[in-house]
Amino acid sequence: MRERAAEVLWANWTGTSTVPSRALYPHQWSWDSAFIAIGMRHLSPLRAQLELETLLAAQWGDGRVPHIVFNDAVPLDAYFPSPDFWRSTTAGRRAGAPGGVQTSGIVQPPVHALAAWLVHRADPGLSRARSFLARLHPRLAAWHRYLLHARDAGGAGLAAVVHPWEQGMDNSPCWDGPLSRVEPAPPGTFRRADLDHGARDDRPTDRDYGRYVRLAADYRDRRYADGAPPAGDGGAFRVEDPAFNALLIASEHALARIEDAIEADAESSVTESGTEDGAAGGAVAGPAARRARADALTRTLVDRLWDPGRRLFLCRDLSAGRLVPERAVTGLIPLLLPALPPDVAAALVRTARGPHFGLGGPARLVPSYDLTGPAFERHRYWRGPAWFNTNWLLAHGLRLHGERVRAARLREELLDVAATSGFAEYVDPYTGRGRGARGFGWTAALTLDLLLDGRAWARDAAGAHGGRGGLSEGEVWA
């Protein structure tokens, strides 16, 4: 399986980055590259570093990391929305879009600091020799500042997404309510290249896709400005999402670890040379302050998005001023957070195991949406199928909060489904049968990560220490 997963990553490598899928997704995607780097570090730490460096080289001046970095060698009609739709170098000029590369103007979940930390840990010597952390730190810090300030649309400290594609779970039923205010772009004004490579019944409907296009075009026409949309704009989409913010908080913890490492390297350089000339990375914000902010954001997440009745985190529709009642896997992802209150973590585990998500029961992998929900479709994109990245995140969250045997069992299911599905993009949650693209980048990468971090998982599966007792955040992400 290791060889097969490695072959997928080599086949998807472009020379500077890795595409999720040669046919369906022929460019570089933001959170895909973060997950790919996490797996790639086991094969080539250098290539994993290049993956993140290439992505962050396309960062905008305001700090945002675009969700797509386009490859100029790919024909415009191979993917939509293409560079001529986003017009980043012109429409994004005011926000600091780079002039030398075409990108989209929206973002994706901030997994990047976590990925950078894990890539560094794979080969600290190589990382130090290349000043990997010192060079990436200013970009990662700017990325977090952008999300914590420009995207604080609710005024409480959490980051808001302005398009379903930003949250990563593009077609979730969580967006049905907020999207209902958006008038779809007329069908003749765009062409869906995704249907050239994916089954129509697996993909978003034409009406939903038209809404995605309208939202993106309106944001572009506002020059990607993040202030409140024009008064009376019924199509405003501003949502605080639990998974997006949980990943931001987890990456804040990772960024604190990065700052610890930069400070340690600087102290070592001063000790060896007797001068600060060799110190790497310059001044940092302060890891203690960053950890305190991560814990404060965790409390805010619970205050604003936790629903004790449903025992799940929910999305908050800022334009409507209310929580979205749909149950989706996004509401389980905060299990990743070390400062989550124990009663909340325990309730999340019960919800994951219950009828809505079926962990350890009828579902082989945790689905993207409530198995009992009215909008559940077991094969349609993010409306029911199970995804490898969300289940990988949940497995780590289970370990962190003491559910180590359940985490190990989920790992075994992930490895088995990856092997039998051909490293599929997503799968039927009940059967594990592959859907979407095959040879998918993050599926192969996270399979490698689960395989090659096997000793700790094996201890969990054997019930070491009774299989209970939470791990420290450092042990989970070492």
Side-chain angles (χ1 to χ4, degrees), residues 42-293:
H42 298 290
L43 300 178
S44 170
L46 176 60
R47 191 169 288 188
Q49 291 180 26
L50 291 173
E51 185 79 37
L52 295 174
E53 291 165 356
T54 299
L55 176 70
L56 290 170
Q59 185 175 29
W60 289 28
D62 63 3
R64 82 182 74 194
V65 176
H67 98 295
I68 302 174
V69 180
F70 289 104
N71 182 346
D72 290 341
V74 174
L76 283 179
D77 63 357
Y79 182 80
F80 180 85
S82 49
D84 56 341
F85 173 89
W86 296 103
R87 305 171 202 162
S88 63
T89 56
T90 54
R93 186 180 299 131
R94 187 180 303 169
V101 62
Q102 297 276 2
T103 76
S104 68
I106 60 175
V107 303
Q108 275 190 325
V111 199
H112 310 91
L114 176 59
W117 174 247
L118 294 176
V119 168
H120 163 77
R121 292 289 300 148
D123 191 337
L126 175 68
S127 176
R128 293 188 185 99
R130 299 186 70 249
S131 299
F132 172 67
L133 292 183
R135 288 185 294 106
L136 257 61
H137 173 266
R139 292 183 177 275
L140 293 170
W143 170 217
H144 286 206
R145 281 195 301 273
Y146 168 77
L147 293 174
L148 290 167
H149 297 286
R151 289 302 189 89
D152 182 13
L158 299 182
V161 295
V162 300
H163 195 290
W165 290 339
E166 293 198 313
Q167 193 267 357
M169 305 175 195
D170 308 357
N171 196 38
S172 171
C174 293
W175 317 135
D176 290 356
L179 280 175
S180 66
R181 298 186 295 267
V182 180
E183 181 65 27
T189 61
F190 63 93
R191 175 185 171 273
R192 293 189 58 179
D194 62 316
L195 297 180
D196 294 342
H197 306 284
R200 180 173 287 275
D201 288 345
D202 287 0
R203 305 294 298 173
T205 65
D206 286 344
R207 186 167 180 80
D208 282 340
Y209 210 91
R211 288 175 166 136
Y212 304 153
V213 173
R214 169 75 69 182
L215 273 176
D218 287 350
Y219 191 42
R220 175 201 65 204
D221 293 345
R222 296 198 306 270
R223 300 295 188 262
Y224 300 109
D226 287 314
D233 183 358
F237 182 100
R238 296 183 301 161
V239 176
E240 291 174 349
D241 174 78
F244 191 100
N245 280 281
L247 290 169
L248 174 58
I249 296 167
S251 280
E252 275 284 283
H253 282 292
L255 198 49
R257 288 176 168 272
I258 288 170
E259 290 170 355
D260 283 333
I262 291 172
E263 287 185 352
D265 288 347
E267 291 171 2
S268 174
S269 177
V270 170
T271 299
E272 291 175 5
S273 66
T275 175
E276 295 188 8
D277 291 345
V284 297
R290 199 171 292 281
R291 289 188 177 93
R293 179 163 64 190

Side-chain angles (χ1 to χ4, degrees), residues 399 404 408 411-412 449-464:
R399 292 185 75 209
R404 297 167 66 183
R411 169 186 178 265
E412 292 301 319
D449 190 62
L450 293 174
L451 279 172
L452 300 180
D453 191 23
R455 288 185 179 180
W457 289 100
R459 287 195 299 270
D460 291 354

Side-chain angles (χ1 to χ4, degrees), residues 22 48 56 128 167 176 262 314 345 378 397 413 439 443 447:
R22 283 286 182 181
L56 290 170
R128 293 188 185 99
Q167 193 267 357
D176 290 356
I262 291 172
L314 302 179
R378 63 196 290 177
E413 287 285 7
T443 304
T447 296

